[in-house]
């Protein structure tokens, strides 16, 4: 098979786009021709463009939607399908890999029809496409169609596989390919971390971090509540990193809790790893999380997480070994757990070391890329 793939993903600050980008980069390093199709260049692609393999083998194709006043909502899926079909035809690409079932897989199916070539469609389910958006009555049927018309389907965790089986009439195989991180980017050796610590948490203050795209499911205001409880017992500072719809509400919550002077909000475009490495703990009180890529990124930088025991997080975090898991509604318990660790530095250090080993030991990148390649081969048969 010609070693070329079209990767369709969201360019925004979110896990599915990051995984799609890192997969494309890893495939290009293996000699594949990679075509990203999206509305904007993938967020993390710039981290790798100094490599000649990436510059030569990766191409970004921008989807532009014409804004026409007659439409209340611009038909983005159609523009996306047209662009995928053009790329598939022009470069004779055998595989379209859609990350997130809607609208990406639907656009991929349309593009396949339009391109009239021998193109396979692979769908990777990332989470809310099944657990939240896909369950909405207006989307359930189209997600069911997206699954059944795909040549291969993968999910990022065992949890997501089970949720898909439970909620959707789809009997085909679902391969589990967990998320992974780029080890050359996410690791413990981050020289800028010391200055970040000095700036935000001097004189032995504890430094906590929350990273999210501020959607309701992330419960960012609850992260502030947990922080406020921690700070009432010990000197501490919190970094809230990211952008999204709940950010203003979260800032308001910090103010109401009287901790805004000790909470720094930073947008999501910065170089994340030094901030992760500078922190003692990450707080992730999500209401749902199919995998929790942000937790794995923190762990890779040696920062354990105090997180919700929900969804795919127990597949990522070994409770008591490299992080702590509590029921999502137990914000008080999460605060106590965080305080317990901050007051027991030798235990925190052991957890930090175990966390740093986790991505490579349990989710090595090359192993996950091999799995995706097997899926592409299966989809072609
Ligand atoms: O929820 C997000 O942060 C974004 C969302 C996405 O589709 O971009 O993330 C989902 O996919 C990530 C990558 O596979 C997973 O690590 C996240 O756990 C998952 N989010 C949820 O399930 C809420």
């Amino acid at each position: 098979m010609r070693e070329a793939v079209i990767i369709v993903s969201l360019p925004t600050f979110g896990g599915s786009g990051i995984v799609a980008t890192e997969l494309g980069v890893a495939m290009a390093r293996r000699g594949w021709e990679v075509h990203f199709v999206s509305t904007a260049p993938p967020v993390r692609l710039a981290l790798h463009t100094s490599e000649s393999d990436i510059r030569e083998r990766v191409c970004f194709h921008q989807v532009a939607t014409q804004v026409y006043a007659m439409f209340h909502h611009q038909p983005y899926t159609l523009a996306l399908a047209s662009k995928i079909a053009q790329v598939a035809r022009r470069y004779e690409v055998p595989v379209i890999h859609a990350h997130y079932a809607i609208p990406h897989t639907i656009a991929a199916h349309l593009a396949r029809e339009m391109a009239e070539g021998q193109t396979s469609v692979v769908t990777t389910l990332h989470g809310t496409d099944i657990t939240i958006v896909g369950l909405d009555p207006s989307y359930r049927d189209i997600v069911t169609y997206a699954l059944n018309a795909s040549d291969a389907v993968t999910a990022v965790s065992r949890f997501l596989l089970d949720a898909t089986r439970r909620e959707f009439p789809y009997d085909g195989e679902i391969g589990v390919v967990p998320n992974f991180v780029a080890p050359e980017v996410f690791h413990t050796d981050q020289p800028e971390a010391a200055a970040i610590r000095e700036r935000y948490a001097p004189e032995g203050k504890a430094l906590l971090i929350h990273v999210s795209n501020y959607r309701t499911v992330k419960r960012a205001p609850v992260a502030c509540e947990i922080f406020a409880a921690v700070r009432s017992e010990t000197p501490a500072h919190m970094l809230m990193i990211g952008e999204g719809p709940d950010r203003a509400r979260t800032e308001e919550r910090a103010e109401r809790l009287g901790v805004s002077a000790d909470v720094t909000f930073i947008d999501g475009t910065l170089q994340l790893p030094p901030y992760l490495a500078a922190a003692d703990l990450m707080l992730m009180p999500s209401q749902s999380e199919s995998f929790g890529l942000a937790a794995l990124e923190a762990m890779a930088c040696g920062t354990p997480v105090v997180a919700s025991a929900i969804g795919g997080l127990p597949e990522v975090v070994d409770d008591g070994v490299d992080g702590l898991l509590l029921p999502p509604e137990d914000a008080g318990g999460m605060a106590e757990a965080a305080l317990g660790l901050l007051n027991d530095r030798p235990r925190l250090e052991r957890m930090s070391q175990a966390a740093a080993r986790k991505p490579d030991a349990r989710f090595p990148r090359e192993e996950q890329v091999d799995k995706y390649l097997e899926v592409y081969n299966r989809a072609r048969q």
Side-chain angles (χ1 to χ4, degrees):
M1 137 166 106
R2 188 168 132 61
E3 295 190 333
V5 61
I6 296 175
I7 294 184
V8 188
S9 64
L10 295 164
T12 46
F13 187 56
S16 59
I18 292 167
V19 170
T21 308
E22 293 300 343
L23 173 63
V25 166
M27 306 271 294
R29 286 198 190 113
R30 288 183 182 207
W32 278 57
E33 186 182 301
V34 178
H35 298 270
F36 286 105
V37 176
S38 194
T39 48
V43 264
R44 298 254 180 101
L45 189 58
L47 289 177
H48 305 283
T49 41
S50 60
E51 289 174 51
S52 60
D53 278 357
I54 308 305
R55 282 199 311 275
E56 282 161 21
R57 301 204 186 100
V58 171
C59 196
F60 166 63
H61 307 269
Q62 185 158 31
V63 183
T65 15
Q66 186 208 23
V67 177
Y68 190 58
M70 204 181 86
F71 298 127
H72 282 276
H73 304 284
Q74 305 309 316
Y76 163 68
T77 308
L78 305 184
L80 179 61
S82 297
K83 182 58 84 180
I84 301 170
Q86 282 163 15
V87 175
R89 248 190 315 242
R90 171 152 177 222
Y91 298 92
E92 296 175 14
V93 186
V95 180
I96 307 170
H97 188 172
H99 290 260
Y100 211 86
I102 49 169
H104 298 156
T105 303
I106 300 305
H109 290 320
L110 267 172
R112 177 193 5 216
E113 292 280 316
M114 293 162 73
E116 291 172 353
Q118 297 293 305
T119 312
S120 304
V121 173
V122 173
T123 296
T124 289
L125 304 171
H126 278 274
T128 49
D129 43 357
I130 290 296
T131 58
I132 299 179
V133 184
L135 293 184
D136 188 278
S138 46
Y139 294 125
R140 189 189 273 273
D141 287 350
I142 197 87
V143 170
T144 303
Y145 169 76
L147 291 166
N148 283 286
S150 293
D151 297 293
V153 175
T154 72
V156 297
S157 62
R158 181 77 220 175
F159 157 80
L160 190 56
L161 182 158
D162 293 341
T164 309
R165 288 263 182 259
R166 210 173 39 246
E167 300 291 351
F168 291 89
Y170 172 68
D171 297 329
E173 196 175 333
I174 303 177
V176 173
V177 187
N179 288 176
F180 56 90
V181 298
E184 65 279 9
V185 179
F186 290 90
H187 52 75
T188 52
D189 184 19
Q190 305 288 343
E192 302 97 319
I196 293 171
R197 247 205 112 80
E198 187 51 36
R199 177 163 177 206
Y200 295 108
E203 294 156 14
K205 257 191 187 182
L207 186 62
L208 282 76
I209 193 165
H210 172 81
V211 179
S212 78
N213 48 19
Y214 286 91
R215 282 171 308 133
T216 310
V217 71
K218 301 289 176 183
R219 299 170 84 231
V222 176
C224 266
E225 281 170 20
I226 298 168
F227 169 71
V230 168
R231 207 218 52 170
S232 68
E233 299 288 328
T234 193
H237 195 89
M238 171 93 152
L239 298 172
M240 301 282 300
I241 299 190
E243 283 294 342
D246 263 2
R247 175 159 161 181
R249 208 160 67 83
T250 309
E251 289 188 41
E252 198 181 86
R253 184 73 55 93
E255 207 142 290
R256 202 147 50 75
L257 290 162
V259 293
S260 43
D262 287 316
V263 179
T264 303
F265 288 84
I266 306 176
D267 77 24
T269 53
L270 48 72
Q271 297 293 318
L272 194 52
Y275 287 82
L276 293 173
D280 294 301
L281 282 177
M282 170 180 268
L283 299 179
M284 187 182 257
S286 305
Q287 163 200 324
S288 163
E289 206 66 70
S290 69
F291 183 93
L293 178 64
L296 193 66
E297 291 178 343
M299 291 164 82
C301 297
T303 303
V305 294
V306 174
S308 299
I310 38 95
L313 277 169
E315 296 171 49
V316 180
V317 177
D318 281 323
D319 186 26
V321 178
D322 46 31
L324 293 172
L325 296 175
L326 287 108
E329 64 283 359
D330 189 8
M334 290 194 202
E336 259 175 50
L339 263 171
L341 278 180
L342 294 170
N343 290 331
D344 183 351
R345 288 278 161 175
R347 185 171 180 227
L348 181 59
E349 180 53 31
R350 281 197 302 279
M351 272 197 185
S352 157
Q353 288 177 10
R357 288 192 294 269
K358 188 64 157 296
D360 222 31
R362 192 83 71 80
F363 308 105
R365 172 176 59 192
E366 296 311 314
E367 207 174 276
Q368 314 322 317
V369 176
D370 286 345
K371 288 182 199 164
Y372 277 121
L373 287 178
E374 278 167 32
V375 170
Y376 293 176
N377 282 326
R378 205 172 70 226
R380 301 291 297 156
Q381 285 159 14

